[in-house]
Amino acid sequence: MILRRISILNYKNIRDATLELSPKMNCLIGRNGVGKTNFLDAVYYLSFCRSAYNTADSQNILHQADFFVLQGSYESDAGEPEDIYCGMKRGTKKQFKRNKKAYKRLSQHIGLIPVIFVSPSDSILIEGGSEERRRLMDVVIAQYDHAYIEALSSYNKALQQRNTLLKQDDEPDASLMDILEMQMAQYGEAIYKKREAFVREFIPVFQDIYRRISEAQEQVSLSYISHAQRGDLLDVIRRDRMKDRAVGYSLHGIHRDDLEMLLGGYPMKREGSQGQNKTFVLALKLAQFNFLRRTASNTTPLLLLDDIFDKLDAHRVEQIVQLVSGEDYGQIFITDTNRDHLDKILSGSGFDYKIFAVDQGEITEKEVNHVQA
């Protein structure tokens, strides 16, 4: 998918911007806090019907404005045009239209324009709890396996009901507890098998990307950890029912799964430098991009890279740009504070790119001196 043209009106600090975009690489240059990330968030919004940052849609409307409008003119991998409109007035529901026809449900739009968004907040994958790393697995698998979504929903429902029984003052009904535990085991085993298969295929893709960015300076790996690896999952869940009762929630099950992140065989969280952590997270996201491109709807995702070059040495920056400008990737949006830095890398590349200057919500295209491919 390619975003040919975007119009933004009253979105966050961007009052009015209409841009004709490069089908390959678009660079937004400006100081911190001037609106570069807000532009990427507008692109994200047109894909996911929500902001990557604000849960309340009204918070995305420019201060003192009554509404915002986003419009994107896309071209599919097959060359078909797609026009997406989103508008919202304060105090009303947002409206999404595809080719001038309103959606009945916003869920119908999700997946049409796949996007991978890499931002500084992704460091939570390394620094945060296991739920962040489970979400990384779930987000990818759910986009190509609808049975996985159903199994995950059924497991979480049984887990929630079991936890409710564990919290009550009276002794839980034993037969009901047995049923819920059997459901957790049944759906949990299915989820475990799908996660295990995904991680097994994901690891070599991730390692290859990290190796290319780091020029093979470090060895990284991922290790999937699950209670389902301890034996029959039903036995594992039931084993500590009394302990579960004491704490008031379920201590065992696939809701405790984790994806251990390793550098040289040791935990990334403890061993990695800022640059290594950033490289690790970027490699995870680019592997996610690669996996979705091969397994989802055969639609090349848009790649949004927000401030990814900070804390990285020049060699890694150059390797990243060379990697994402290859034929495996489609349209890319990059933000940075240093134009000279980016110009130096891009000017000799030979591929098409555009540079836009961002200043207090104003976005203007700048001339570039290179021969377009």
Side-chain angles (χ1 to χ4, degrees):
M1 191 69 77
I2 293 171
L3 177 56
R4 292 290 185 183
R5 186 173 187 265
I6 188 171
S7 294
I8 304 171
L9 193 60
N10 297 335
Y11 189 80
K12 296 191 172 179
N13 78 326
I14 303 174
R15 183 173 297 280
D16 190 2
T18 297
L19 307 179
E20 302 289 338
L21 301 164
S22 163
K24 186 56 184 175
M25 188 170 293
N26 299 275
C27 310
L28 292 103
I29 308 298
R31 293 175 289 107
N32 291 326
V34 296
K36 303 188 303 295
T37 300
N38 292 342
F39 174 86
L40 296 186
D41 195 46
V43 176
Y44 183 93
Y45 202 110
L46 283 169
S47 288
F48 288 97
C49 305
R50 62 177 178 85
S51 165
Y53 300 100
N54 294 332
T55 55
D57 288 306
S58 60
Q59 294 177 3
N60 299 310
I61 301 175
L62 178 74
H63 295 312
Q64 284 83 50
D66 296 323
F67 66 93
F68 78 76
V69 171
L70 303 174
Q71 290 180 278
S73 297
Y74 296 83
E75 183 180 309
S76 73
D77 287 13
E80 297 294 325
E82 294 282 358
D83 289 306
I84 305 300
Y85 165 93
C86 172
M88 179 185 170
K89 294 181 181 179
R90 289 193 189 275
T92 66
K93 287 187 177 181
K94 60 193 168 192
Q95 186 179 43
F96 259 80
K97 294 180 182 179
R98 176 184 178 186
N99 300 325
K100 299 184 179 180
K101 184 178 180 180
Y103 284 104
K104 292 182 180 179
R105 297 186 307 277
L106 294 181
S107 60
Q108 295 174 320
H109 179 67
I110 307 300
L112 177 69
I113 308 165
V115 163
I116 298 294
F117 194 176
V118 185
S119 76
S121 62
D122 290 324
S123 61
I124 197 170
L125 288 169
I126 295 173
E127 300 164 0
S130 60
E131 66 275 9
E132 302 296 338
R133 294 179 285 278
R134 285 194 299 276
R135 188 177 296 117
L136 175 75
M137 295 187 282
D138 293 343
V139 163
V140 182
I141 301 170
Q143 292 189 61
Y144 65 84
D145 189 336
H146 290 292
Y148 182 84
I149 301 173
E150 294 173 7
L152 194 60
S153 176
S154 297
Y155 178 90
N156 287 333
K157 184 178 179 181
L159 171 66
Q160 189 176 29
Q161 290 175 326
R162 184 178 190 266
N163 285 346
T164 298
L165 291 180
L166 291 171
K167 287 183 175 72
Q168 66 185 27
D169 294 332
D170 298 331
E171 191 63 27
D173 181 276
S175 59
L176 180 55
M177 187 70 84
D178 284 340
I179 292 171
L180 294 173
E181 289 169 345
M182 284 189 287
Q183 290 177 345
M184 285 176 62
Q186 175 190 345
Y187 296 117
E189 287 282 2
I191 293 164
Y192 165 73
K193 289 176 182 177
K194 292 176 186 290
R195 283 178 178 171
E196 196 273 335
F198 163 72
V199 173
R200 189 169 60 247
E201 187 175 351
F202 186 82
I203 286 173
V205 177
F206 158 72
Q207 289 178 319
D208 179 62
I209 292 171
Y210 190 99
R211 178 188 57 77
R212 292 172 66 181
I213 295 174
S214 69
E215 297 181 286
Q217 291 186 33
E218 305 111 21
Q219 294 294 319
V220 294
S221 59
L222 300 169
S223 178
Y224 177 38
I225 301 169
S226 176
H227 289 155
Q229 296 161 340
R230 299 182 180 181
D232 181 78
L233 187 56
L234 181 58
D235 290 341
V236 173
I237 292 170
R238 284 177 169 169
R239 193 175 299 162
D240 286 321
R241 190 189 283 183
M242 293 303 295
K243 192 178 292 185
D244 291 355
R245 183 92 169 94
V247 297
Y249 56 88
S250 303
L251 290 167
H252 296 91
I254 56 91
H255 60 287
R256 310 281 288 196
D257 285 3
D258 203 352
L259 195 58
E260 191 175 26
M261 301 180 171
L262 304 170
L263 173 69
Y266 296 96
M268 190 75 199
K269 186 175 183 178
R270 192 181 70 212
E271 296 292 317
S273 67
Q274 286 183 311
Q276 288 169 332
N277 285 351
K278 203 151 194 175
T279 305
F280 197 99
V281 169
L282 179 61
L284 283 173
K285 287 299 194 83
L286 294 184
Q288 185 181 20
F289 177 102
N290 183 292
F291 203 88
L292 286 177
R293 185 173 179 268
R294 293 183 294 123
T295 58
S297 59
N298 293 319
T299 300
T300 306
L302 305 182
L303 182 60
L304 314 181
L305 304 176
D306 189 19
D307 192 29
I308 64 164
F309 298 141
D310 185 42
K311 311 300 183 188
L312 294 178
D313 60 56
H315 290 292
R316 295 198 183 208
V317 171
E318 190 169 352
Q319 291 302 315
I320 291 167
V321 172
Q322 287 182 5
L323 178 66
V324 300
S325 61
E327 60 182 20
D328 290 340
Y329 294 86
Q331 189 177 31
I332 301 151
F333 297 84
I334 294 179
T335 70
D336 198 9
T337 56
N338 188 337
R339 170 167 183 174
D340 292 338
H341 187 214
L342 212 51
D343 255 339
K344 184 178 178 182
I345 297 169
L346 294 173
S347 59
S349 64
F351 57 78
D352 183 81
Y353 71 93
K354 287 190 175 186
I355 288 184
F356 300 92
V358 185
D359 186 19
Q360 302 306 323
E362 298 284 334
I363 306 175
T364 54
E365 184 175 350
K366 296 297 184 181
E367 288 188 9
V368 293
N369 298 316
H370 74 295
V371 178
Q372 294 188 358

